[in-house]
Amino acid sequence: MTDIETPGTAGPGQARSTGPTVQSLLAADTREVPPPLLEESYEFLGSDDIDVRRYVSADFHRREVERMWKRVWQMACREEDIPEPGDYIVYDIAEVSLIVMRTPGGEIKAYHNACLHRGTRLCDNAGHAAQLRCPFHGFTWNLDGALTDVPSRWDFPHVDDAKFALPEALTGVWAGFVFVNPDPDAVPLATYLGNLDKHFAYFDLDRRFKGVHVAKVVDCNWKVGLEAFIESYHVIATHPQLLEYLGDANTQYDIYPRSDGLPGFHRMITPQATSSPQLGEQLEPQDVLEAMFRDFYPEGVGSIQVPEGQSARPTVAAALRTRLEQVTGADLSATSDSEILDAIEYFVFPNLVPWAGVGSPLTYRFRPYRNDPDRCVFEIMMLYPLPAGAPKPKGVPIHWLGPDEDFSAAPELNALAAVFNQDLANLPKVQRGLKAMTKPGVTLANYQEARIRQFHRDLDAMLDA
């Protein structure tokens, strides 16, 4: 199997794999395709190596904490995680800890998670509270952050109640995600996100609910984990069982940089129900259907035939659309085949990876574990559509996997658990290998790993600002 140059071009970054392009597949969709999916936005970003120290250096990690994590908008939870007054979730990032809470007035606030008396951590994990009371000495604040009780108040005449209100981080909501920013001088969330909202206006993520949330601490830097999930280049070696129905090398990579110094966003669209060009000859449509049903619709294996002369995509999409409607109660009659079939994965700097489709309703998040550059938290969420007018249920709690558990201990992931376990096997090996590497940098593909390069450009801009 060899790559070919796109006709009429010969410059670096212009080579593409053989096989059907994403845009040619979308042109045959049986429904109207959302306009953002019909765009292409790639630019060659160079071919310089990425410094290995970015993944292994404690000094670089500390710089990220001070100049990025303490200053950037980042997703803390979903709105449905804290639907009622008093509901809270603790969001930890390195040495920053925030209590993200619904107040009696329905606002969402994020309080720094430390008692102003002697610094005790006020909350852990998630829960419901009528007040925020320090477990050490009993200093107490109400849900609006105002100081309400000081035991032995007579001994603290120097405490000004107004100045002892719990300090807050900035909060904002986008697409049902609750964002926080520890920097009080940060730009508004809408400014930070830029044109991203124009894309997601078509996908209604705010009308979905979090039905799955699995988290695991992994022995690798958070960037190592993230980068493994923003390219499809690894599929041929890591997930060879997917090649029968996944067009890995035909993935479309799009980059949307900005000129105002703020991070842009980027995405990839990996087509499914089409076999990989890595296999050589394309599989017969019926074989593609059976392979995809094996993982996504096992009860349909052997019961549905691809019409003579037709590709597998419309038949697979129709079957999965019907099944999804039955399972969720949502009306998907106007939803495009691409949104049912394809892996449509966006990236919001620094660590949020939301998928736009309905058939694969995934969202990933990566962040450092505590203050350790060699470990990270990898989270997998699934956001399911709702029937029109249906109330949004409360989001499921996080299912934390233990050190000796892999994703097979999370049956809610279904067939994806085996795929995530294949990724999980790679990540600690990457971290160990980077530390043993004598070459000073990692080398990236011009096209298939362009998102990684753009991510590092945005990270540099944030660190140098």
Side-chain angles (χ1 to χ4, degrees):
M1 187 67 207
T2 58
D3 289 344
I4 62 170
E5 293 288 326
T6 302
T9 62
Q14 300 303 313
R16 299 291 183 272
S17 173
T18 56
T21 66
V22 166
Q23 292 304 312
S24 70
L25 296 172
L26 297 185
D29 205 293
T30 65
R31 306 289 195 278
E32 183 178 357
V33 177
L37 301 186
L38 301 177
E39 297 179 4
E40 291 187 79
S41 180
Y42 167 76
E43 63 175 291
F44 175 59
L45 299 177
S47 55
D48 292 343
D49 282 1
I50 304 296
D51 193 337
V52 168
R53 290 174 296 182
R54 301 170 79 88
Y55 306 96
V56 300
S57 164
D59 287 340
F60 192 85
H61 168 76
R62 283 191 289 270
R63 190 173 172 218
E64 284 181 337
V65 173
E66 292 301 319
R67 301 190 65 85
M68 195 267 287
W69 291 116
K70 290 184 178 181
R71 300 183 180 186
V72 74
W73 284 102
Q74 53 206 281
M75 190 273 282
C77 64
R78 290 280 298 175
E79 283 187 289
E80 61 266 28
D81 288 326
I82 49 171
E84 301 297 331
D87 290 343
Y88 70 86
I89 189 166
V90 172
Y91 175 69
D92 291 319
I93 186 74
E95 60 200 35
V96 175
S97 182
L98 298 171
I99 306 166
V100 185
M101 169 170 280
R102 183 82 65 172
T103 70
E107 292 180 275
I108 295 175
K109 292 191 175 185
Y111 302 117
H112 287 271
N113 189 15
C115 177
L116 299 181
H117 173 217
R118 283 168 60 182
T120 306
R121 188 176 169 93
L122 296 173
C123 296
D124 285 304
N125 304 317
H128 182 88
Q131 58 187 6
L132 296 173
R133 185 174 187 272
C134 176
F136 194 1
H137 297 97
F139 273 59
T140 303
W141 290 263
N142 67 22
L143 300 186
D144 288 311
L147 182 68
T148 58
D149 186 43
V150 177
S152 297
R153 189 67 174 85
W154 56 267
D155 208 15
F156 291 88
H158 48 292
V159 167
D160 182 332
D161 286 14
K163 293 180 180 179
F164 248 64
L166 288 176
E168 296 181 34
L170 300 180
T171 60
V173 177
W174 170 79
F177 295 105
V178 177
F179 283 74
V180 296
N181 193 327
D183 181 4
D185 299 319
V187 300
L189 177 60
T191 302
Y192 178 81
L193 295 174
N195 289 328
L196 184 68
D197 202 42
K198 293 181 180 179
H199 283 239
F200 277 85
Y202 293 91
F203 304 124
D204 292 332
L205 261 61
D206 55 333
R207 277 293 303 150
R208 300 190 195 179
F209 73 97
K210 190 183 72 173
V212 171
H213 193 164
V214 179
K216 181 171 175 60
V217 177
V218 182
D219 291 332
C220 69
N221 184 270
W222 71 276
K223 298 182 294 297
V224 168
L226 167 67
E227 291 168 18
F229 287 85
I230 59 173
E231 46 87 354
S232 293
Y233 179 53
H234 69 283
V235 171
I236 186 172
T238 301
H239 311 299
Q241 79 279 8
L242 306 183
L243 298 178
E244 293 178 306
Y245 61 82
L246 188 138
D248 57 333
N250 298 134
T251 297
Q252 176 180 311
Y253 296 90
D254 296 306
I255 296 166
Y256 294 87
R258 293 172 66 164
S259 58
D260 59 1
L262 292 172
F265 63 95
H266 45 79
R267 72 168 179 202
M268 65 182 184
I269 306 173
T270 301
Q272 298 202 92
T274 180
S275 58
S276 169
Q278 313 279 12
L279 297 177
E281 291 187 13
Q282 290 283 293
L283 269 63
E284 291 296 321
Q286 188 64 33
D287 294 332
V288 173
L289 177 145
E290 299 287 344
M292 192 162 181
F293 277 11
R294 178 190 65 217
D295 287 343
F296 290 94
Y297 187 22
E299 59 269 35
V301 173
S303 63
I304 298 176
Q305 296 294 314
V306 178
E308 187 71 27
Q310 192 177 101
S311 77
R313 280 176 65 88
T315 304
V316 175
L320 294 183
R321 184 182 289 108
T322 299
R323 181 171 179 269
L324 283 168
E325 287 183 325
Q326 293 170 346
V327 170
T328 66
D331 179 7
L332 304 176
S333 58
T335 304
S336 67
D337 296 345
S338 180
E339 293 167 273
I340 298 292
L341 296 173
D342 299 330
I344 307 167
E345 184 202 272
Y346 282 77
F347 174 77
V348 183
F349 187 89
N351 64 336
L352 178 63
V353 187
W355 292 41
V358 178
S360 298
L362 290 159
T363 293
Y364 306 140
R365 178 171 63 180
F366 301 84
R367 49 183 165 144
Y369 177 65
R370 295 185 177 173
N371 220 3
D372 189 345
D374 291 325
R375 290 193 292 173
C376 73
V377 178
F378 171 34
E379 295 169 80
I380 303 163
M381 291 162 256
M382 290 193 182
L383 307 180
Y384 296 121
L386 287 164
K392 187 183 290 191
K394 185 170 182 176
V396 298
I398 301 176
H399 177 181
W400 284 94
L401 300 180
D404 298 324
E405 291 183 305
D406 62 22
F407 290 107
S408 61
E412 61 268 41
L413 294 175
N414 299 314
L416 290 174
V419 177
F420 288 127
N421 279 339
Q422 291 172 319
D423 294 305
L424 184 64
N426 287 335
L427 300 180
K429 295 178 183 178
V430 175
Q431 190 69 14
R432 293 184 65 187
L434 288 168
K435 292 192 171 186
M437 203 169 174
T438 58
K439 181 167 158 281
V442 300
T443 301
L444 301 177
N446 286 340
Y447 182 66
Q448 295 179 90
E449 294 173 313
R451 298 177 76 201
I452 297 174
R453 192 174 299 282
Q454 182 61 43
F455 163 70
H456 281 278
R457 284 192 170 195
D458 286 335
L459 178 57
D460 279 341
M462 180 66 68
L463 297 181
D464 295 340

